Amino acid sequence: MVLRRRRTSLEILSVVVFSKIHRDCGTWKVGLFYFYRPSSGLGRAQVPTHGLRRGLHSAAARRLVSAAFVVCRAVVFPLWQTCCMHRITVGDFELTIFSDGTYPLDGGAFFGVIPKVMWSRKVESDEKNYVTAGLNSLLIRTGKQNVLVETGMGNKLSERMVKIFGQPAKLFDHLSAGGISPEDIDIVINTHLHFDHCGWNTIRNQDGKIVPTFPRAKYYVQEGEWQYAREPSPRDAISYVPENYDPLVQSGQMTLVKGDQEIVPGISVKVFPGHTAHMQAVVVTSGGQTACYISDLIPTTAHIDLVWGMAFDLFPLQTIESKKQCYAQSVPGRWLMVFTHDPKTPWAYVERDGLGKMVARGI
Ligand SMILES: [Zn+2]
Protein backbone atom coordinates (compact mmCIF):
# COMPACT_ATOMS: atom_id res chain seq x y z
CA MET A 1 0.00 0.00 0.00
CA VAL A 2 1.28 3.44 -0.90
CA LEU A 3 1.04 4.42 2.71
CA ARG A 4 3.52 1.78 3.82
CA ARG A 5 5.96 2.43 1.04
CA ARG A 6 6.38 6.02 2.00
CA ARG A 7 6.11 5.97 5.75
CA THR A 8 6.60 3.53 8.55
CA SER A 9 3.47 2.11 10.08
CA LEU A 10 4.57 3.43 13.47
CA GLU A 11 3.75 6.92 12.32
CA ILE A 12 0.09 6.04 11.78
CA LEU A 13 -1.77 7.21 14.84
CA SER A 14 -5.26 5.89 14.20
CA VAL A 15 -7.51 4.44 11.50
CA VAL A 16 -11.28 4.89 11.20
CA VAL A 17 -13.17 2.62 8.80
CA PHE A 18 -16.41 3.86 7.27
CA SER A 19 -19.02 2.70 4.80
CA LYS A 20 -21.24 4.98 2.77
CA ILE A 21 -23.90 4.72 0.07
CA HIS A 22 -23.82 7.63 -2.34
CA ARG A 23 -27.35 8.98 -2.61
CA ASP A 24 -27.25 10.02 -6.26
CA CYS A 25 -25.42 7.26 -8.03
CA GLY A 26 -26.12 4.41 -5.64
CA THR A 27 -22.46 3.54 -5.34
CA TRP A 28 -21.65 1.72 -2.12
CA LYS A 29 -18.26 2.76 -0.80
CA VAL A 30 -16.10 1.58 2.03
CA GLY A 31 -13.05 3.47 3.06
CA LEU A 32 -10.83 4.49 5.89
CA PHE A 33 -9.56 7.69 7.36
CA TYR A 34 -6.01 7.44 8.61
CA PHE A 35 -4.27 9.90 10.81
CA TYR A 36 -0.50 10.13 10.64
CA ARG A 37 2.41 12.37 11.45
CA PRO A 38 4.71 13.01 8.48
CA SER A 39 8.38 12.22 9.00
CA SER A 40 9.47 15.23 7.00
CA GLY A 41 8.02 18.50 5.88
CA LEU A 42 5.30 19.95 8.03
CA GLY A 43 4.48 17.79 11.01
CA ARG A 44 6.57 15.34 13.05
CA ALA A 45 6.28 18.19 15.45
CA GLN A 46 9.01 19.80 13.54
CA VAL A 47 6.65 22.23 14.83
CA PRO A 48 8.77 23.98 12.77
CA THR A 49 10.61 26.55 14.73
CA HIS A 50 12.80 26.00 17.73
CA GLY A 51 11.65 29.33 19.03
CA LEU A 52 8.11 28.06 19.19
CA ARG A 53 9.20 24.84 20.94
CA ARG A 54 11.14 26.80 23.50
CA GLY A 55 8.11 28.96 24.13
CA LEU A 56 6.00 25.92 25.03
CA HIS A 57 6.68 25.22 28.63
CA SER A 58 4.37 22.35 29.44
CA ALA A 59 4.41 18.88 27.85
CA ALA A 60 0.64 19.18 27.33
CA ALA A 61 1.07 22.35 25.30
CA ARG A 62 3.78 20.69 23.19
CA ARG A 63 1.49 17.72 22.54
CA LEU A 64 -1.28 20.10 21.54
CA VAL A 65 0.87 21.89 18.96
CA SER A 66 2.23 18.60 17.74
CA ALA A 67 -1.34 17.30 17.27
CA ALA A 68 -2.09 20.28 15.05
CA PHE A 69 0.37 18.82 12.54
CA VAL A 70 -1.24 15.42 12.40
CA VAL A 71 -2.52 14.77 8.91
CA CYS A 72 -5.79 13.05 8.04
CA ARG A 73 -6.32 11.31 4.74
CA ALA A 74 -9.16 9.20 3.38
CA VAL A 75 -8.98 6.19 1.08
CA VAL A 76 -12.24 5.18 -0.60
CA PHE A 77 -13.03 1.94 -2.40
CA PRO A 78 -16.22 1.94 -4.51
CA LEU A 79 -17.72 -1.54 -4.27
CA TRP A 80 -20.48 -1.65 -6.80
CA GLN A 81 -22.91 0.60 -8.48
CA THR A 82 -26.68 0.61 -8.43
CA CYS A 83 -26.78 -2.93 -7.15
CA CYS A 84 -29.69 -3.65 -4.84
CA MET A 85 -30.30 0.08 -5.02
CA HIS A 86 -33.12 2.21 -6.31
CA ARG A 87 -35.92 -0.08 -5.23
CA ILE A 88 -39.54 1.03 -5.05
CA THR A 89 -43.00 -0.48 -5.00
CA VAL A 90 -45.70 0.32 -7.53
CA GLY A 91 -48.92 -1.15 -6.14
CA ASP A 92 -48.20 -4.85 -5.62
CA PHE A 93 -45.12 -4.84 -7.84
CA GLU A 94 -41.54 -4.27 -6.75
CA LEU A 95 -39.30 -2.35 -9.14
CA THR A 96 -35.49 -2.38 -8.94
CA ILE A 97 -32.88 -0.70 -11.13
CA PHE A 98 -29.90 -2.83 -12.12
CA SER A 99 -27.16 -1.05 -14.02
CA ASP A 100 -24.91 -2.45 -16.72
CA GLY A 101 -22.47 0.37 -15.90
CA THR A 102 -21.80 3.66 -17.65
CA TYR A 103 -20.21 4.58 -20.96
CA PRO A 104 -18.99 7.72 -22.74
CA LEU A 105 -21.15 9.42 -25.34
CA ASP A 106 -20.39 12.52 -27.36
CA GLY A 107 -22.24 15.39 -25.68
CA GLY A 108 -23.22 16.98 -29.00
CA ALA A 109 -24.76 13.73 -30.25
CA PHE A 110 -26.50 13.21 -26.92
CA PHE A 111 -28.28 16.58 -27.09
CA GLY A 112 -28.82 16.99 -30.86
CA VAL A 113 -29.53 20.58 -31.86
CA ILE A 114 -29.27 21.94 -28.32
CA PRO A 115 -26.18 24.20 -28.05
CA LYS A 116 -23.47 23.19 -25.61
CA VAL A 117 -23.85 26.47 -23.71
CA MET A 118 -27.29 25.20 -22.71
CA TRP A 119 -26.74 21.46 -22.09
CA SER A 120 -23.48 22.02 -20.26
CA ARG A 121 -25.47 23.72 -17.49
CA LYS A 122 -27.12 20.37 -16.82
CA VAL A 123 -24.48 17.77 -17.63
CA GLU A 124 -20.69 17.75 -17.26
CA SER A 125 -18.45 16.84 -20.18
CA ASP A 126 -14.77 15.98 -20.32
CA GLU A 127 -12.03 17.53 -22.45
CA LYS A 128 -13.10 15.40 -25.44
CA ASN A 129 -16.71 16.54 -25.04
CA TYR A 130 -17.84 13.15 -23.75
CA VAL A 131 -20.63 12.90 -21.21
CA THR A 132 -21.38 9.86 -19.06
CA ALA A 133 -24.40 7.79 -20.02
CA GLY A 134 -25.97 5.12 -17.79
CA LEU A 135 -27.31 1.72 -18.79
CA ASN A 136 -30.28 1.17 -16.51
CA SER A 137 -32.28 -2.03 -16.69
CA LEU A 138 -35.50 -2.39 -14.75
CA LEU A 139 -36.51 -5.56 -12.93
CA ILE A 140 -40.21 -5.84 -12.12
CA ARG A 141 -41.23 -8.51 -9.61
CA THR A 142 -44.99 -8.96 -9.96
CA GLY A 143 -45.17 -11.72 -7.37
CA LYS A 144 -45.81 -14.23 -10.16
CA GLN A 145 -43.13 -13.31 -12.66
CA ASN A 146 -39.80 -11.54 -12.85
CA VAL A 147 -39.79 -9.20 -15.83
CA LEU A 148 -36.52 -7.62 -16.98
CA VAL A 149 -36.78 -4.52 -19.15
CA GLU A 150 -33.68 -3.99 -21.29
CA THR A 151 -30.41 -5.86 -21.04
CA GLY A 152 -27.74 -3.16 -21.40
CA MET A 153 -24.66 -3.36 -23.58
CA GLY A 154 -23.62 -6.91 -22.76
CA ASN A 155 -20.18 -8.45 -23.18
CA LYS A 156 -19.95 -9.26 -26.90
CA LEU A 157 -18.94 -5.92 -28.40
CA SER A 158 -16.48 -5.92 -31.28
CA GLU A 159 -13.01 -4.51 -30.71
CA ARG A 160 -13.98 -1.41 -32.66
CA MET A 161 -17.07 -0.85 -30.49
CA VAL A 162 -15.08 -1.40 -27.31
CA LYS A 163 -12.66 1.30 -28.42
CA ILE A 164 -15.53 3.76 -28.82
CA PHE A 165 -17.81 2.84 -25.92
CA GLY A 166 -15.80 0.64 -23.58
CA GLN A 167 -17.68 -2.39 -22.37
CA PRO A 168 -18.71 -2.03 -18.73
CA ALA A 169 -20.62 -5.36 -18.71
CA LYS A 170 -21.81 -5.03 -15.12
CA LEU A 171 -25.43 -6.19 -15.35
CA PHE A 172 -24.77 -9.86 -14.84
CA ASP A 173 -22.68 -9.22 -11.70
CA HIS A 174 -25.20 -6.74 -10.34
CA LEU A 175 -28.13 -9.11 -10.80
CA SER A 176 -26.14 -11.88 -9.18
CA ALA A 177 -25.16 -9.64 -6.24
CA GLY A 178 -28.88 -8.82 -5.89
CA GLY A 179 -29.66 -12.53 -5.62
CA ILE A 180 -31.08 -12.85 -9.15
CA SER A 181 -29.87 -15.75 -11.28
CA PRO A 182 -30.45 -15.93 -15.06
CA GLU A 183 -32.98 -18.74 -14.47
CA ASP A 184 -35.07 -16.42 -12.28
CA ILE A 185 -36.02 -14.19 -15.21
CA ASP A 186 -39.35 -15.14 -16.80
CA ILE A 187 -39.70 -12.33 -19.31
CA VAL A 188 -37.30 -9.95 -21.06
CA ILE A 189 -38.65 -6.89 -22.87
CA ASN A 190 -36.45 -4.91 -25.24
CA THR A 191 -37.70 -1.41 -26.07
CA HIS A 192 -35.72 -1.55 -29.32
CA LEU A 193 -32.72 -3.44 -30.65
CA HIS A 194 -29.84 -0.96 -30.49
CA PHE A 195 -26.74 -2.64 -29.06
CA ASP A 196 -26.93 -0.71 -25.76
CA HIS A 197 -30.43 -2.03 -25.01
CA CYS A 198 -30.25 -5.74 -25.76
CA GLY A 199 -26.58 -6.69 -25.30
CA TRP A 200 -27.13 -9.24 -22.52
CA ASN A 201 -30.01 -10.92 -24.39
CA THR A 202 -27.42 -13.52 -25.40
CA ILE A 203 -23.95 -14.62 -24.41
CA ARG A 204 -21.25 -16.69 -26.09
CA ASN A 205 -20.84 -20.03 -24.32
CA GLN A 206 -17.59 -21.95 -23.83
CA ASP A 207 -17.91 -23.46 -27.32
CA GLY A 208 -18.28 -20.02 -28.84
CA LYS A 209 -21.97 -20.56 -29.56
CA ILE A 210 -24.47 -17.76 -28.99
CA VAL A 211 -27.03 -18.83 -26.38
CA PRO A 212 -29.78 -17.03 -24.45
CA THR A 213 -28.50 -15.42 -21.26
CA PHE A 214 -31.85 -16.02 -19.59
CA PRO A 215 -32.67 -19.59 -20.60
CA ARG A 216 -36.25 -19.72 -19.29
CA ALA A 217 -37.28 -16.25 -20.39
CA LYS A 218 -39.67 -15.28 -23.13
CA TYR A 219 -38.27 -12.25 -24.94
CA TYR A 220 -40.43 -9.51 -26.49
CA VAL A 221 -39.76 -6.76 -29.04
CA GLN A 222 -41.79 -5.00 -31.73
CA GLU A 223 -41.90 -6.89 -35.01
CA GLY A 224 -41.32 -3.64 -36.93
CA GLU A 225 -38.15 -3.00 -34.93
CA TRP A 226 -36.79 -6.45 -35.76
CA GLN A 227 -37.70 -6.05 -39.45
CA TYR A 228 -35.85 -2.73 -39.52
CA ALA A 229 -32.87 -4.25 -37.67
CA ARG A 230 -32.45 -6.75 -40.51
CA GLU A 231 -31.90 -3.90 -42.98
CA PRO A 232 -31.00 -0.75 -41.05
CA SER A 233 -30.00 2.48 -42.73
CA PRO A 234 -26.27 3.20 -43.01
CA ARG A 235 -26.90 5.92 -40.40
CA ASP A 236 -27.53 3.52 -37.54
CA ALA A 237 -26.37 0.16 -38.93
CA ILE A 238 -23.51 0.14 -36.40
CA SER A 239 -26.09 0.02 -33.59
CA TYR A 240 -27.63 -3.29 -34.68
CA VAL A 241 -25.81 -6.48 -33.67
CA PRO A 242 -27.82 -9.49 -34.99
CA GLU A 243 -26.36 -11.95 -32.43
CA ASN A 244 -28.34 -10.09 -29.76
CA TYR A 245 -31.69 -11.10 -31.23
CA ASP A 246 -31.62 -13.22 -34.43
CA PRO A 247 -30.87 -16.52 -32.63
CA LEU A 248 -33.78 -15.83 -30.26
CA VAL A 249 -36.18 -15.09 -33.10
CA GLN A 250 -35.04 -18.18 -34.99
CA SER A 251 -35.54 -20.43 -31.95
CA GLY A 252 -38.96 -18.91 -31.23
CA GLN A 253 -37.81 -17.65 -27.82
CA MET A 254 -38.36 -14.04 -28.90
CA THR A 255 -41.94 -13.00 -29.60
CA LEU A 256 -42.45 -10.24 -32.14
CA VAL A 257 -45.40 -8.10 -31.10
CA LYS A 258 -47.37 -5.69 -33.25
CA GLY A 259 -48.28 -2.39 -31.64
CA ASP A 260 -49.49 -1.73 -28.10
CA GLN A 261 -50.07 -4.91 -26.15
CA GLU A 262 -50.31 -6.30 -22.64
CA ILE A 263 -47.44 -8.70 -21.98
CA VAL A 264 -48.59 -9.91 -18.54
CA PRO A 265 -51.35 -8.47 -16.35
CA GLY A 266 -50.22 -4.97 -15.34
CA ILE A 267 -47.29 -4.75 -17.79
CA SER A 268 -47.89 -3.41 -21.30
CA VAL A 269 -45.81 -2.15 -24.17
CA LYS A 270 -46.70 1.08 -25.94
CA VAL A 271 -45.09 2.26 -29.16
CA PHE A 272 -43.61 5.77 -29.15
CA PRO A 273 -41.96 6.41 -32.53
CA GLY A 274 -39.16 8.96 -32.87
CA HIS A 275 -35.88 7.44 -31.74
CA THR A 276 -36.68 4.55 -34.07
CA ALA A 277 -39.95 3.98 -35.90
CA HIS A 278 -41.04 1.17 -33.56
CA MET A 279 -39.46 1.94 -30.19
CA GLN A 280 -41.76 0.84 -27.38
CA ALA A 281 -42.07 2.00 -23.79
CA VAL A 282 -43.03 -0.38 -20.99
CA VAL A 283 -45.95 0.74 -18.82
CA VAL A 284 -46.33 -0.88 -15.41
CA THR A 285 -49.60 -0.45 -13.53
CA SER A 286 -50.61 -1.91 -10.20
CA GLY A 287 -52.83 -0.74 -7.35
CA GLY A 288 -53.69 2.50 -9.12
CA GLN A 289 -50.02 3.50 -9.54
CA THR A 290 -48.10 3.61 -12.81
CA ALA A 291 -44.43 3.57 -13.79
CA CYS A 292 -43.16 3.92 -17.34
CA TYR A 293 -39.80 2.80 -18.72
CA ILE A 294 -39.68 5.44 -21.44
CA SER A 295 -36.38 4.33 -22.99
CA ASP A 296 -34.72 6.58 -25.59
CA LEU A 297 -37.75 8.80 -26.03
CA ILE A 298 -36.53 10.58 -22.86
CA PRO A 299 -33.13 9.03 -22.11
CA THR A 300 -32.23 11.18 -19.07
CA THR A 301 -33.77 13.81 -16.81
CA ALA A 302 -31.85 16.39 -18.89
CA HIS A 303 -33.99 15.45 -21.93
CA ILE A 304 -37.45 16.12 -20.52
CA ASP A 305 -38.05 19.35 -22.47
CA LEU A 306 -40.05 18.61 -25.64
CA VAL A 307 -37.30 19.76 -28.01
CA TRP A 308 -34.30 18.30 -26.16
CA GLY A 309 -33.91 15.19 -28.32
CA MET A 310 -30.83 13.19 -29.23
CA ALA A 311 -29.03 13.50 -32.58
CA PHE A 312 -29.42 9.70 -32.76
CA ASP A 313 -33.20 10.04 -33.19
CA LEU A 314 -34.15 8.89 -36.68
CA PHE A 315 -37.39 10.91 -36.65
CA PRO A 316 -36.85 13.99 -34.45
CA LEU A 317 -40.23 15.58 -35.15
CA GLN A 318 -41.94 12.35 -34.14
CA THR A 319 -39.90 12.33 -30.95
CA ILE A 320 -41.52 15.67 -30.07
CA GLU A 321 -45.02 14.35 -30.93
CA SER A 322 -44.46 11.17 -28.93
CA LYS A 323 -43.22 13.14 -25.93
CA LYS A 324 -46.38 15.28 -26.09
CA GLN A 325 -48.54 12.16 -26.17
CA CYS A 326 -46.59 10.61 -23.34
CA TYR A 327 -46.87 13.69 -21.11
CA ALA A 328 -50.60 13.96 -21.88
CA GLN A 329 -50.98 10.72 -19.92
CA SER A 330 -48.00 10.64 -17.62
CA VAL A 331 -48.35 14.10 -16.05
CA PRO A 332 -52.02 13.90 -14.97
CA GLY A 333 -51.59 10.19 -14.15
CA ARG A 334 -48.50 10.90 -11.99
CA TRP A 335 -46.48 8.21 -13.74
CA LEU A 336 -43.04 7.47 -12.36
CA MET A 337 -40.73 7.79 -15.37
CA VAL A 338 -37.72 5.45 -15.65
CA PHE A 339 -34.73 6.77 -17.61
CA THR A 340 -32.48 4.37 -19.52
CA HIS A 341 -29.34 6.47 -19.81
CA ASP A 342 -29.36 8.70 -16.74
CA PRO A 343 -26.31 7.71 -14.66
CA LYS A 344 -27.55 9.49 -11.53
CA THR A 345 -31.34 9.63 -11.54
CA PRO A 346 -32.82 6.41 -12.90
CA TRP A 347 -36.38 7.50 -12.16
CA ALA A 348 -38.35 10.63 -11.32
CA TYR A 349 -41.77 12.21 -11.69
CA VAL A 350 -41.96 14.62 -14.64
CA GLU A 351 -44.27 17.53 -13.93
CA ARG A 352 -45.17 20.93 -15.37
CA ASP A 353 -44.13 23.88 -13.23
CA GLY A 354 -46.13 27.11 -12.86
CA LEU A 355 -44.72 28.43 -16.16
CA GLY A 356 -45.56 25.24 -18.08
CA LYS A 357 -41.94 24.07 -18.16
CA MET A 358 -41.29 20.35 -17.68
CA VAL A 359 -39.38 19.58 -14.50
CA ALA A 360 -38.19 16.31 -12.98
CA ARG A 361 -38.97 15.68 -9.33
CA GLY A 362 -36.85 12.96 -7.81
CA ILE A 363 -38.14 10.45 -5.30
ZN1 LIG B 1 -29.97 3.97 -26.06
PDB file of all heavy atoms in Angstrom, residues 189 260-270 280-285 291:
ATOM      1  N   ILE A 189     -38.072  -7.795 -21.860  1.00  0.00           N
ATOM      2  CA  ILE A 189     -38.655  -6.894 -22.866  1.00  0.00           C
ATOM      3  C   ILE A 189     -37.569  -5.942 -23.348  1.00  0.00           C
ATOM      4  O   ILE A 189     -36.910  -5.282 -22.534  1.00  0.00           O
ATOM      5  CB  ILE A 189     -39.829  -6.077 -22.284  1.00  0.00           C
ATOM      6  CG1 ILE A 189     -40.915  -7.017 -21.727  1.00  0.00           C
ATOM      7  CG2 ILE A 189     -40.428  -5.164 -23.352  1.00  0.00           C
ATOM      8  CD1 ILE A 189     -42.056  -6.289 -21.004  1.00  0.00           C
ATOM      9  N   ASP A 260     -49.301  -1.738 -29.565  1.00  0.00           N
ATOM     10  CA  ASP A 260     -49.487  -1.734 -28.102  1.00  0.00           C
ATOM     11  C   ASP A 260     -50.106  -3.062 -27.660  1.00  0.00           C
ATOM     12  O   ASP A 260     -51.028  -3.557 -28.295  1.00  0.00           O
ATOM     13  CB  ASP A 260     -50.409  -0.576 -27.695  1.00  0.00           C
ATOM     14  CG  ASP A 260     -49.855   0.774 -28.118  1.00  0.00           C
ATOM     15  OD1 ASP A 260     -48.713   0.812 -28.622  1.00  0.00           O
ATOM     16  OD2 ASP A 260     -50.557   1.781 -27.960  1.00  0.00           O
ATOM     17  N   GLN A 261     -49.615  -3.581 -26.568  1.00  0.00           N
ATOM     18  CA  GLN A 261     -50.071  -4.914 -26.153  1.00  0.00           C
ATOM     19  C   GLN A 261     -49.758  -5.152 -24.680  1.00  0.00           C
ATOM     20  O   GLN A 261     -48.751  -4.669 -24.177  1.00  0.00           O
ATOM     21  CB  GLN A 261     -49.321  -5.955 -26.995  1.00  0.00           C
ATOM     22  CG  GLN A 261     -49.994  -7.303 -27.013  1.00  0.00           C
ATOM     23  CD  GLN A 261     -49.403  -8.188 -28.103  1.00  0.00           C
ATOM     24  OE1 GLN A 261     -49.271  -7.764 -29.254  1.00  0.00           O
ATOM     25  NE2 GLN A 261     -49.035  -9.394 -27.754  1.00  0.00           N
ATOM     26  N   GLU A 262     -50.620  -5.898 -24.016  1.00  0.00           N
ATOM     27  CA  GLU A 262     -50.313  -6.298 -22.641  1.00  0.00           C
ATOM     28  C   GLU A 262     -49.461  -7.567 -22.685  1.00  0.00           C
ATOM     29  O   GLU A 262     -49.811  -8.534 -23.360  1.00  0.00           O
ATOM     30  CB  GLU A 262     -51.604  -6.553 -21.845  1.00  0.00           C
ATOM     31  CG  GLU A 262     -51.314  -6.804 -20.377  1.00  0.00           C
ATOM     32  CD  GLU A 262     -52.583  -6.896 -19.533  1.00  0.00           C
ATOM     33  OE1 GLU A 262     -53.343  -7.871 -19.701  1.00  0.00           O
ATOM     34  OE2 GLU A 262     -52.801  -5.994 -18.694  1.00  0.00           O
ATOM     35  N   ILE A 263     -48.348  -7.545 -21.971  1.00  0.00           N
ATOM     36  CA  ILE A 263     -47.441  -8.701 -21.979  1.00  0.00           C
ATOM     37  C   ILE A 263     -47.836  -9.673 -20.865  1.00  0.00           C
ATOM     38  O   ILE A 263     -47.969 -10.877 -21.085  1.00  0.00           O
ATOM     39  CB  ILE A 263     -45.969  -8.249 -21.800  1.00  0.00           C
ATOM     40  CG1 ILE A 263     -45.595  -7.243 -22.896  1.00  0.00           C
ATOM     41  CG2 ILE A 263     -45.019  -9.448 -21.799  1.00  0.00           C
ATOM     42  CD1 ILE A 263     -45.609  -7.760 -24.311  1.00  0.00           C
ATOM     43  N   VAL A 264     -48.001  -9.148 -19.649  1.00  0.00           N
ATOM     44  CA  VAL A 264     -48.592  -9.908 -18.543  1.00  0.00           C
ATOM     45  C   VAL A 264     -49.524  -8.916 -17.827  1.00  0.00           C
ATOM     46  O   VAL A 264     -49.395  -7.707 -18.033  1.00  0.00           O
ATOM     47  CB  VAL A 264     -47.515 -10.444 -17.543  1.00  0.00           C
ATOM     48  CG1 VAL A 264     -46.614 -11.458 -18.194  1.00  0.00           C
ATOM     49  CG2 VAL A 264     -46.706  -9.321 -16.918  1.00  0.00           C
ATOM     50  N   PRO A 265     -50.441  -9.412 -17.008  1.00  0.00           N
ATOM     51  CA  PRO A 265     -51.346  -8.471 -16.348  1.00  0.00           C
ATOM     52  C   PRO A 265     -50.574  -7.365 -15.620  1.00  0.00           C
ATOM     53  O   PRO A 265     -49.701  -7.630 -14.800  1.00  0.00           O
ATOM     54  CB  PRO A 265     -52.116  -9.361 -15.361  1.00  0.00           C
ATOM     55  CG  PRO A 265     -52.098 -10.713 -16.015  1.00  0.00           C
ATOM     56  CD  PRO A 265     -50.757 -10.811 -16.692  1.00  0.00           C
ATOM     57  N   GLY A 266     -50.868  -6.114 -15.987  1.00  0.00           N
ATOM     58  CA  GLY A 266     -50.222  -4.969 -15.340  1.00  0.00           C
ATOM     59  C   GLY A 266     -48.975  -4.468 -16.067  1.00  0.00           C
ATOM     60  O   GLY A 266     -48.454  -3.416 -15.732  1.00  0.00           O
ATOM     61  N   ILE A 267     -48.497  -5.207 -17.053  1.00  0.00           N
ATOM     62  CA  ILE A 267     -47.294  -4.754 -17.785  1.00  0.00           C
ATOM     63  C   ILE A 267     -47.590  -4.760 -19.291  1.00  0.00           C
ATOM     64  O   ILE A 267     -47.860  -5.812 -19.866  1.00  0.00           O
ATOM     65  CB  ILE A 267     -46.072  -5.637 -17.472  1.00  0.00           C
ATOM     66  CG1 ILE A 267     -45.791  -5.613 -15.968  1.00  0.00           C
ATOM     67  CG2 ILE A 267     -44.850  -5.176 -18.265  1.00  0.00           C
ATOM     68  CD1 ILE A 267     -44.600  -6.446 -15.540  1.00  0.00           C
ATOM     69  N   SER A 268     -47.552  -3.556 -19.873  1.00  0.00           N
ATOM     70  CA  SER A 268     -47.885  -3.413 -21.298  1.00  0.00           C
ATOM     71  C   SER A 268     -46.752  -2.720 -22.039  1.00  0.00           C
ATOM     72  O   SER A 268     -45.953  -2.015 -21.432  1.00  0.00           O
ATOM     73  CB  SER A 268     -49.134  -2.542 -21.473  1.00  0.00           C
ATOM     74  OG  SER A 268     -50.190  -3.057 -20.741  1.00  0.00           O
ATOM     75  N   VAL A 269     -46.733  -2.931 -23.344  1.00  0.00           N
ATOM     76  CA  VAL A 269     -45.808  -2.153 -24.168  1.00  0.00           C
ATOM     77  C   VAL A 269     -46.623  -1.151 -24.973  1.00  0.00           C
ATOM     78  O   VAL A 269     -47.766  -1.423 -25.352  1.00  0.00           O
ATOM     79  CB  VAL A 269     -44.961  -3.060 -25.105  1.00  0.00           C
ATOM     80  CG1 VAL A 269     -44.014  -3.917 -24.292  1.00  0.00           C
ATOM     81  CG2 VAL A 269     -45.832  -3.918 -26.016  1.00  0.00           C
ATOM     82  N   LYS A 270     -46.008   0.002 -25.223  1.00  0.00           N
ATOM     83  CA  LYS A 270     -46.702   1.078 -25.938  1.00  0.00           C
ATOM     84  C   LYS A 270     -45.700   1.719 -26.891  1.00  0.00           C
ATOM     85  O   LYS A 270     -44.624   2.127 -26.456  1.00  0.00           O
ATOM     86  CB  LYS A 270     -47.198   2.097 -24.897  1.00  0.00           C
ATOM     87  CG  LYS A 270     -48.095   3.150 -25.432  1.00  0.00           C
ATOM     88  CD  LYS A 270     -48.747   3.923 -24.263  1.00  0.00           C
ATOM     89  CE  LYS A 270     -49.544   5.120 -24.768  1.00  0.00           C
ATOM     90  NZ  LYS A 270     -50.496   4.818 -25.835  1.00  0.00           N
ATOM     91  N   GLN A 280     -40.625   0.960 -28.294  1.00  0.00           N
ATOM     92  CA  GLN A 280     -41.758   0.836 -27.381  1.00  0.00           C
ATOM     93  C   GLN A 280     -41.325   1.173 -25.947  1.00  0.00           C
ATOM     94  O   GLN A 280     -40.200   0.890 -25.537  1.00  0.00           O
ATOM     95  CB  GLN A 280     -42.332  -0.586 -27.429  1.00  0.00           C
ATOM     96  CG  GLN A 280     -41.353  -1.682 -27.025  1.00  0.00           C
ATOM     97  CD  GLN A 280     -41.915  -3.084 -27.238  1.00  0.00           C
ATOM     98  OE1 GLN A 280     -43.034  -3.252 -27.686  1.00  0.00           O
ATOM     99  NE2 GLN A 280     -41.121  -4.098 -26.903  1.00  0.00           N
ATOM    100  N   ALA A 281     -42.265   1.791 -25.219  1.00  0.00           N
ATOM    101  CA  ALA A 281     -42.066   2.000 -23.787  1.00  0.00           C
ATOM    102  C   ALA A 281     -42.737   0.843 -23.060  1.00  0.00           C
ATOM    103  O   ALA A 281     -43.530   0.110 -23.640  1.00  0.00           O
ATOM    104  CB  ALA A 281     -42.683   3.323 -23.373  1.00  0.00           C
ATOM    105  N   VAL A 282     -42.392   0.670 -21.783  1.00  0.00           N
ATOM    106  CA  VAL A 282     -43.027  -0.380 -20.986  1.00  0.00           C
ATOM    107  C   VAL A 282     -43.782   0.307 -19.848  1.00  0.00           C
ATOM    108  O   VAL A 282     -43.198   1.061 -19.062  1.00  0.00           O
ATOM    109  CB  VAL A 282     -41.975  -1.363 -20.431  1.00  0.00           C
ATOM    110  CG1 VAL A 282     -42.660  -2.449 -19.601  1.00  0.00           C
ATOM    111  CG2 VAL A 282     -41.178  -1.981 -21.579  1.00  0.00           C
ATOM    112  N   VAL A 283     -45.099   0.077 -19.805  1.00  0.00           N
ATOM    113  CA  VAL A 283     -45.953   0.739 -18.822  1.00  0.00           C
ATOM    114  C   VAL A 283     -46.380  -0.291 -17.778  1.00  0.00           C
ATOM    115  O   VAL A 283     -46.889  -1.356 -18.103  1.00  0.00           O
ATOM    116  CB  VAL A 283     -47.191   1.370 -19.511  1.00  0.00           C
ATOM    117  CG1 VAL A 283     -48.060   2.089 -18.481  1.00  0.00           C
ATOM    118  CG2 VAL A 283     -46.754   2.340 -20.605  1.00  0.00           C
ATOM    119  N   VAL A 284     -46.098   0.053 -16.519  1.00  0.00           N
ATOM    120  CA  VAL A 284     -46.325  -0.879 -15.407  1.00  0.00           C
ATOM    121  C   VAL A 284     -47.404  -0.279 -14.513  1.00  0.00           C
ATOM    122  O   VAL A 284     -47.238   0.830 -13.995  1.00  0.00           O
ATOM    123  CB  VAL A 284     -45.018  -1.049 -14.589  1.00  0.00           C
ATOM    124  CG1 VAL A 284     -45.222  -2.025 -13.448  1.00  0.00           C
ATOM    125  CG2 VAL A 284     -43.864  -1.484 -15.492  1.00  0.00           C
ATOM    126  N   THR A 285     -48.504  -0.983 -14.336  1.00  0.00           N
ATOM    127  CA  THR A 285     -49.600  -0.448 -13.528  1.00  0.00           C
ATOM    128  C   THR A 285     -50.048  -1.471 -12.501  1.00  0.00           C
ATOM    129  O   THR A 285     -50.296  -2.628 -12.842  1.00  0.00           O
ATOM    130  CB  THR A 285     -50.806  -0.081 -14.432  1.00  0.00           C
ATOM    131  OG1 THR A 285     -50.358   0.801 -15.450  1.00  0.00           O
ATOM    132  CG2 THR A 285     -51.902   0.612 -13.637  1.00  0.00           C
ATOM    133  N   ALA A 291     -45.804   3.196 -13.446  1.00  0.00           N
ATOM    134  CA  ALA A 291     -44.427   3.566 -13.790  1.00  0.00           C
ATOM    135  C   ALA A 291     -44.249   3.320 -15.279  1.00  0.00           C
ATOM    136  O   ALA A 291     -44.921   2.462 -15.852  1.00  0.00           O
ATOM    137  CB  ALA A 291     -43.424   2.742 -12.986  1.00  0.00           C
TER     138      ALA A 291
END
